[in-house]
Every structure is written in C-alpha cells, then in structure tokens.
Amino acid sequence: MTEVESNLTLISATKSFDGWIKRYQHYSNTLKCNMIFAIYLPPQAETNPVPLLWWLSGLTCTDENFMQKSGAQQVAAKLGIAIICPDTSPRGVDIPGADDSYDFGSGAGFYVNATQEPWATHYQMFDYVAKELPELVFANFPLNGKESISGHSMGGHGALVLALRQPGRYASVSAFAPIVSPSTVPWGQKALSGYLGDDQQAWAEYDACALVKKGESKQPFFIDQGTADNFLTEQLRPELLEQICYQRQHPLVLRHQEGYDHSYFFIATFIDDHLRYHAQHLS
C-alpha cells in the first residue's frame, strides 16, 4: 500500500441509485490538518473507470450539503459520473477568530492560498483542491482521468478560478450563482484582504472577471443565476462577468432563472441540466 493509499479512512458508506456515497477522512499535508471529503461513485464504477465532476460548495457548507440536498445522484448514476465534494475550509486548526463570522475562517476558505498569518499555515485551499486532493482520489478510486468542475456561490467562484488558472485541465465548468468579482464585493473583499493582505494584484489571481480580462483561457462557462437571489445585486453581480466576457469574446451561457433564490432548492431544480452538460464534454 502506498503512502497516498494509506492516508485514507472511510467514515461512512450509503447506497444511492445503485452507486455509493462515501465519506473519507485523510491528513492533508497541504492544509496541515485532517480533512473530510465526500464522493459519489455511480454503479458503472464497479466495472470501469468513470469521469469525475468536482463540486465546490459555498459559505458555511461542508462536504455533506451537496450530497444530501442536491438530488444529483439519480442522474449521475444514469450518466456514469463520479462526484467529489471537498470541504470548504480547514477544520479544527484552532486559529483565533476562525469561528467569529460565517463569511471568513471556518467554512469560508474561498479556495485561495492564504499568504497572511495566522491563515497561511493552514488555508491553502487552492493547492488542496487543485493538487493534493486530486492526487489522493486518482490513486484510490476508479476514475478515468477526465475532470469537470462546478460549484455554488463561493464554490462557483472557486470553480471559475480553478478552471481559468489551469487552461485545458477541465473538460467543462459550470456554476450556480457564483461570486464572479470578489475584488469588488463585500464577501470577497473581506476574504481576500484577510487571506492575502492589501495586494490587489494577488486578489486578481482569484477574481474570475480579472482572469477573463487577462485572457489566458477561453474556457466556456455555463452559469445559472436566480432572479430572486437575496445576494444578487450586492455580492454576486453576474452582469460584471457578462460584460467582460462580451468584451473579450469569452464563451458564456448565463441563464437567469425567474423567481429562484440562493438555496439548494434552486440547485436541485437545475442540477440535472448541469450534469448532462458536463457529461457531453466528459464523454
């Protein structure tokens, strides 16, 4: 057994649509703490390697929210797609202030590599999701090497940024109500200043609008946004992404879903569309 393989402890296994939802704990050398992730393995994984969809969750979420609330397993089972849900931040690292607010610290890693103490020691979420966790799961599960990525809110921000900064890696990328310009909205400004300091150039490396403007990737985006989302005008501002994508001729499908809010009811309504979108690109 390799070092990668030995660093994995099964917490639970639940059968769903002839596949399995499994939760694992492992020690992360990147984050310097124990981490938990969830994986859905469709029934096809019993006999052949399958493609993978990364799902990045939003503020306050853990690895469990999507698996329990999205209803994604039925269509994922039909399409033969595995889904992996990382946690949204390190846990239990005893940093003063980590639990003082919902939008910074625990549950709010923002998928960045922090440079400011006390966060820099543990909050290296970009490298964890981009490097360490993929190495672990590809060594341990029947995956065929094809990857797509999606996410919600803060996780939608993470999905867009990970795809834009790694051109060609993901077969497709989608998002639900993503934070598209964290440099210009309160959630993002709080997180980026706290984790990265005042360097605006460092912020731009985690800002989808800034990365589209930079022009190093033409990764098409498929995005759903609810029109009744409480965070639409102050925190999400999809019109900023729409504008820069138009200016830079960056492929974008942005659907405005009438009457839908920011909740998992919204995600559950349209997740099948996203899974089928990814399946087309992963096949």
Side-chain angles (χ1 to χ4, degrees), residues 87-158:
D87 203 346
T88 53
S89 77
R91 304 280 177 175
V93 293
D94 197 27
I95 297 176
D99 299 310
D100 288 354
S101 60
Y102 78 95
D103 56 357
F104 187 76
S106 295
F110 268 82
Y111 306 100
V112 306
N113 287 338
T115 59
Q116 303 300 299
E117 295 297 348
W119 310 99
T121 301
H122 297 287
Y123 277 66
Q124 301 292 312
M125 286 297 294
F126 184 92
D127 281 353
Y128 175 70
V129 175
K131 299 175 183 178
E132 185 181 20
L133 190 55
E135 179 184 353
L136 182 69
V137 300
F138 283 120
N140 283 278
F141 300 104
L143 305 170
N144 68 11
K146 296 180 180 179
E147 304 170 87
S148 290
I149 193 166
S150 187
H152 171 231
S153 194
M154 178 186 74
H157 141 77

Side-chain angles (χ1 to χ4, degrees), residues 3-282:
E3 183 177 350
V4 171
E5 290 169 333
S6 65
N7 183 27
L8 203 56
T9 302
L10 179 66
I11 297 173
S12 64
T14 306
K15 196 166 187 178
S16 178
F17 296 101
D18 292 325
W20 289 90
I21 302 168
K22 297 184 177 183
R23 298 183 73 220
Y24 289 90
Q25 184 180 76
H26 73 105
Y27 181 80
S28 167
N29 291 311
T30 301
L31 306 179
K32 296 179 174 59
C33 64
N34 287 321
M35 291 294 287
I36 293 174
F37 68 90
I39 182 169
Y40 178 68
L41 290 167
Q44 294 87 341
E46 297 285 341
T47 54
N48 292 293
V50 296
L52 171 63
L53 175 65
W54 293 96
W55 174 269
L56 305 184
S57 293
L59 290 167
T60 76
C61 291
T62 68
D63 64 286
E64 293 188 282
N65 296 72
F66 182 83
M67 289 297 185
Q68 294 180 358
K69 297 180 179 181
S70 70
Q73 291 85 0
Q74 185 172 14
V75 170
K78 292 177 181 177
L79 297 172
I81 297 175
I83 302 172
I84 290 183
C85 302
D87 203 346
T88 53
S89 77
R91 304 280 177 175
V93 293
D94 197 27
I95 297 176
D99 299 310
D100 288 354
S101 60
Y102 78 95
D103 56 357
F104 187 76
S106 295
F110 268 82
Y111 306 100
V112 306
N113 287 338
T115 59
Q116 303 300 299
E117 295 297 348
W119 310 99
T121 301
H122 297 287
Y123 277 66
Q124 301 292 312
M125 286 297 294
F126 184 92
D127 281 353
Y128 175 70
V129 175
K131 299 175 183 178
E132 185 181 20
L133 190 55
E135 179 184 353
L136 182 69
V137 300
F138 283 120
N140 283 278
F141 300 104
L143 305 170
N144 68 11
K146 296 180 180 179
E147 304 170 87
S148 290
I149 193 166
S150 187
H152 171 231
S153 194
M154 178 186 74
H157 141 77
L160 298 179
V161 168
L162 278 153
L164 286 165
R165 287 183 55 177
Q166 302 174 96
R169 172 170 182 172
Y170 302 103
S172 50
V173 58
S174 75
F176 290 80
I179 304 169
V180 303
S181 183
S183 299
T184 65
V185 301
W187 274 342
Q189 290 170 341
K190 179 178 181 178
L192 296 177
S193 62
Y195 295 134
L196 304 175
D198 297 328
D199 183 358
Q200 297 287 317
Q201 290 185 331
W203 291 19
E205 291 300 305
Y206 299 101
D207 186 304
C209 286
L211 291 168
V212 169
K213 185 176 182 180
K214 196 174 180 181
E216 293 181 359
S217 169
K218 290 293 185 182
Q219 176 80 60
F221 297 150
F222 175 43
I223 296 174
D224 273 319
Q225 173 64 62
T227 63
D229 192 317
N230 291 337
F231 305 110
L232 179 60
T233 57
E234 183 181 23
Q235 305 282 13
L236 306 177
R237 304 197 65 192
E239 73 279 0
L240 297 179
L241 183 65
E242 198 167 27
Q243 291 166 6
I244 194 65
C245 284
Y246 177 77
Q247 293 169 7
R248 297 292 168 153
Q249 296 184 316
H250 191 109
L252 168 68
V253 174
L254 173 59
R255 306 194 305 184
H256 299 274
Q257 303 294 359
E258 188 67 31
Y260 284 90
D261 61 15
H262 200 69
S263 72
Y264 264 84
F265 297 110
F266 164 53
I267 295 170
T269 302
F270 299 104
I271 190 62
D272 290 4
D273 290 352
H274 286 246
L275 289 170
R276 292 189 175 97
Y277 172 79
H278 292 300
Q280 290 176 353
H281 291 83
L282 288 165

